[in-house]
Amino acid sequence: MHNPVLVLPPGRSSADLWSEIVAGDEEQERLPQQPGPGGQAIYRRRKQEKVGKQNAATGKSVVHVARVSLAANGKRVSWNRSLSTRGRTSIAVTACVHHRPEQKHARRKAKPPLPKAKVMHSFEKERSYFQEVDAFELLEESPSPKKSGTWVVGNQTDSFVIPHLSSRLEKWLISKKLNHGCGPSSTLSKILETPAMFSGAKLETPSGSLLQNNSSMCPSLICKNDLERHVHSQLIKLELKDEDLEEAVRKLSLASTCDTSEGDNWNPFTALLAVCGQTAPSNFVDVFSKFCAPSDIIKIGEGTFGEAFKAGNYVCKVVPIDGDLRVNGEVQKRSEELLEEAVLSQTLNRLREGKDDACNACTTFIQTIDLKVCQGTYDVELIRAWEDWDEKNGSENDHPKEFPEKQCYVVFVLEHGGKDLESFVLLNFDEARSLLVQVAAALAVAEAAYEFEHRDLHWGNILLSRNDSRMLNFMLEGKHVNVKTFGLCISIIDFTLSRINTGQDILFLDLSSDPYLFKGPKGDKQSETYRKMKEVTEDYWEGSFPKTNVLWLVYLVDILLLKKSFERSSKDERELRSLKKRLDKYGSTKEAIFDPFFADLLVESAV
């Protein structure tokens, strides 16, 4: 900072001026100070003198005077003011003083950013890469194995979906399309390879000749061999190209829906006739007269898709198929559905003698005595039996007289298994235990032999009767075991929703196509069991999930606890509840059958 410089008027010396200033200061010090408005002096000269060194030029001392503050009081300038003037030239300037703001230091320069590498896209390389990928044909699995089990080759746009009934013709077609060099399959229709059940049946082969069935060759086996020769000859005659192959096979396939009058063209209805040992549909009189007089026919039950009549010592279940008329509000079942149920029923028949698997056998599944396809209206005696039932019990089904003359039916002739669990009266806890152990044993045997799952084992599909037998023998994986029955005989019926692996085909009903099945009332044990099955299978009904059999055992325990009345103690109820909890841990009835609850009911035998 520069010291102030005094400019002297003309005719006066600096010594005179300084003497006047000093005299004025002494006089000011003797006077009292005048207080300001706040009781403080506004101005007060501070007497501070410093004698500096003598001026080299004049030889006199130079006095430095302290600067006078112009601030009205001693308060600090507010921070706002300080912030608002920061970095600028100060506007508070003392007389004869020039204030210079503090110079900002230059910021340190940051390091320059690294230069980004420029990516040069080579579109030619990219194009050649994808062309190479596209040219390489891969077997790509379809996104969802639950919906189809097909494979697609390369850029092929056609999708081939295996039909609901896994036909050997369709499978052969897919393999033919994937491998053009493969020859025809030697097992085009093994689904028809069913047990030799019905003796004396005559079957017309595709060549037109009649063959007599004997004990060593069933009609279905005859049909299989002739069907293969017939299909192969037709394919050779047509000299098919690849683009015509699918259409031709579809006409010959078991899953075809073409009309039955088209000569040699095969369809589910024709296959169903072959399984039943028929060349054409029969009428009701011919079928029922084999077992009883028409006047002795009695209706004993009904279901959504059919009626049950008693004919002598047998029960005839009549199911309408392939018609346009709705049955009790539901669409009629198709031939392919009944074909599966027919084959499944006959397969379970083999467990009675252990034919397919000598390690597993039981007699709990209802025996199918005969199968027939009928056509026409209900017979007069059937109408009479139906109306008698309606008068006594109040039928919930539509009157059968509404069926047209061309309506077709499948008649299952079954052994008489007794009353269903809903109407049967259990006497005591031992009979309840016998019910559970017989059902569990039968399911375990069928699981071991055929990966069987019933999937609809409600109390209307279990028949009960009493006899003099106290023990029942079954064989599970080579072990002969006797079950205590306490005189109770159990029969399992209705395999409409069931799943089975026959060794050549997996037969099942895709329940994902029937969403209403899973929308039953909450809290209803049967509806809850359907929903639990859906969770277990994840809506993939073709797969093997033996846990579903365990779910129906749990359902039966609930029925015994909640819906059935019989003599029992509180200890018996605790045992049932404990069994229910333990069943949740089992993954199959093969495991559940060895639960402690059944321990004293099973007796292993050497024979």
Side-chain angles (χ1 to χ4, degrees), residues 384-514:
R384 174 197 54 77
W386 192 94
E387 292 177 346
D388 289 345
W389 164 273
D390 183 32
E391 184 178 350
K392 296 178 181 178
N393 302 282
S395 177
E396 297 180 3
N397 287 1
D398 299 333
H399 199 292
K401 66 181 181 181
E402 298 178 5
F403 288 120
E405 293 183 0
K406 293 184 179 181
Q407 178 67 53
C408 291
Y409 315 82
V410 175
V411 179
F412 292 83
V413 182
L414 312 169
E415 68 174 339
H416 197 324
K419 294 183 178 180
D420 60 29
L421 178 59
E422 183 177 4
S423 57
F424 190 85
V425 178
L426 295 172
L427 299 180
N428 49 50
F429 184 58
D430 284 338
E431 288 192 346
R433 295 169 66 205
S434 177
L435 163 68
L436 292 175
V437 72
Q438 290 187 56
V439 171
L443 293 176
V445 169
E447 278 180 10
Y450 301 118
E451 297 179 355
F452 173 80
E453 299 169 47
H454 192 283
R455 295 182 173 177
D456 195 24
L457 199 55
H458 56 77
W459 64 349
N461 286 337
I462 298 177
L463 304 182
L464 301 93
S465 62
R466 290 189 174 90
N467 55 27
D468 297 331
S469 177
R470 297 296 172 180
M471 300 292 287
L472 176 67
N473 180 266
F474 71 93
M475 185 167 54
L476 176 60
E477 296 181 334
K479 293 183 179 180
H480 288 269
V481 181
N482 290 324
V483 174
K484 295 180 181 179
T485 64
F486 300 99
L488 199 65
C489 182
I490 306 297
S491 296
I492 297 175
I493 65 171
D494 196 350
F495 312 116
T496 305
L497 307 188
S498 299
R499 185 256 188 204
I500 196 170
N501 186 348
T502 65
Q504 286 87 26
D505 292 276
I506 296 176
L507 307 180
F508 70 103
L509 186 64
D510 189 4
L511 300 183
S512 62
S513 61
D514 185 13

Side-chain angles (χ1 to χ4, degrees), residues 7 41 48 62 70 109 128 135 149 168 188 197 207 253 279 370 498:
V7 181
Q48 295 180 1
V62 179
L70 300 180
K109 292 184 178 180
S128 62
R168 290 295 179 187
L188 287 176
M197 293 176 46
S207 60
S253 172
T279 58
D370 201 354
S498 299

Side-chain angles (χ1 to χ4, degrees), residues 133-134 136-145 148-156 158-160 174 178:
V133 172
D134 293 339
F136 186 71
E137 293 188 351
L138 292 174
L139 284 178
E140 178 182 318
E141 190 174 3
S142 59
S144 176
S148 65
T150 62
W151 294 78
V152 180
V153 180
N155 297 326
Q156 185 173 311
D158 297 334
S159 60
F160 308 103
I174 295 170
L178 296 179

Side-chain angles (χ1 to χ4, degrees), residues 59 81 95 129 177 192 273 292 304 315 331 416 498 501 506 516 534 605:
R81 178 66 175 174
Y129 168 76
K177 289 235 174 182
L192 298 179
L273 284 172
C292 72
T304 304
V315 174
V331 177
H416 197 324
S498 299
N501 186 348
I506 296 176
Y516 294 101
K534 186 176 182 179
S605 63

Side-chain angles (χ1 to χ4, degrees), residues 78 80 98 109 146 160 194 278 290 306 309 402 430 497 513 537 541 562 575 591:
S78 69
N80 292 335
H98 177 66
K109 292 184 178 180
K146 298 182 181 180
F160 308 103
T194 53
Q278 299 173 260
K290 294 180 181 179
F309 298 90
E402 298 178 5
D430 284 338
L497 307 188
S513 61
T537 62
W541 299 99
L562 303 175
E575 288 188 21
E591 300 175 10

